[in-house]
Amino acid sequence: MGLPTSPESLYGLLAEFEQPDDVLEAARKAYAAGYRQMNAYTPFSVEGLSQALGQKPTRLPWLVLLGGIVGGGAAYFMLYYACVISYPLNVGGRPLHSWPSFIPITFEMTVLGAAFAAFFGMLALNGLPHPNHPLFEVPAFSLASRNRFFLCIQVRDPLFQLEQTRRFLEGMTPRVHEVQP
């Protein structure tokens, strides 16, 4: 814990829990108390935790759909332009706009566009890459990938007041860490 710190020089307060049910209950209590700028860190998915934190559903499926539509539309337009406008060839009497022959490439480009949208959309929505984060400086946080569960309430939360928030978190767990920016 160390010396008392002013809220201006903090990223937030980090509460450490040993059981997934404890961090889930703490997130519910913190949300009910009015805290909104908080996040939980767990070694595995905890059912109901994102709802307890008040997180909205992700927009990633819409980005993937949009990427697929753009990829498929671009492929179809490319084939149409090449076969009908730029270099029309009448092969065996088939029509210039022979859409069944466009299906395999259109499908592949739809999948490729969706995959790129999923990859880059996930990076953008998660704020990645983020090579360093203030939580990495807390020695106990290395256990977040093994067997500990953490709830961090950030200073930028409108209800955050150092002593009141510390007492609130200490009421749920004795281990509360200050996170320096």
Side-chain angles (χ1 to χ4, degrees):
M1 288 235 278
L3 299 171
T5 313
S6 66
E8 295 80 30
S9 65
L10 280 180
Y11 173 79
L13 291 176
L14 184 69
E16 180 181 349
F17 301 92
E18 292 186 6
Q19 298 297 322
D21 294 337
D22 296 339
V23 75
L24 180 61
E25 185 61 28
R28 286 185 180 137
K29 286 180 180 177
Y31 191 83
Y35 292 104
R36 296 298 182 263
Q37 298 298 319
M38 59 182 172
N39 208 345
Y41 304 92
T42 64
F44 53 83
S45 179
V46 177
E47 179 135 2
L49 187 57
S50 60
Q51 291 85 4
L53 291 169
Q55 293 177 343
K56 296 179 175 80
T58 181
R59 297 179 307 237
L60 189 60
W62 292 105
L63 291 175
V64 172
L65 175 65
L66 182 64
I69 290 170
V70 168
Y76 197 89
F77 172 75
M78 177 186 65
L79 289 166
Y80 181 84
Y81 179 80
C83 294
V84 177
I85 298 169
S86 178
Y87 196 69
L89 284 176
N90 186 351
V91 178
R94 70 169 176 82
L96 295 177
H97 183 214
S98 179
W99 67 267
S101 65
F102 297 176
I103 290 175
I105 293 174
T106 301
F107 172 76
E108 293 298 330
M109 288 296 291
T110 300
V111 172
L112 183 64
F116 277 142
F119 180 75
F120 291 111
M122 184 273 309
L123 287 178
L125 292 175
N126 288 334
L128 297 174
H130 199 120
N132 193 18
H133 193 278
L135 291 172
F136 297 161
E137 302 301 322
V138 177
F141 190 70
S142 65
L143 298 173
S145 62
R146 286 184 247 156
N147 62 357
R148 290 290 190 274
F149 304 85
F150 294 91
L151 177 68
C152 182
I153 299 178
Q154 299 173 14
V155 171
R156 60 187 176 118
D157 191 289
L159 292 181
F160 188 91
Q161 293 178 353
L162 184 59
E163 290 308 315
Q164 289 84 351
T165 304
R166 182 187 302 280
R167 279 195 299 275
F168 174 76
L169 290 173
E170 285 174 347
M172 295 181 275
T173 181
R175 292 179 299 266
V176 176
H177 310 277
E178 289 183 357
V179 182
Q180 305 296 327

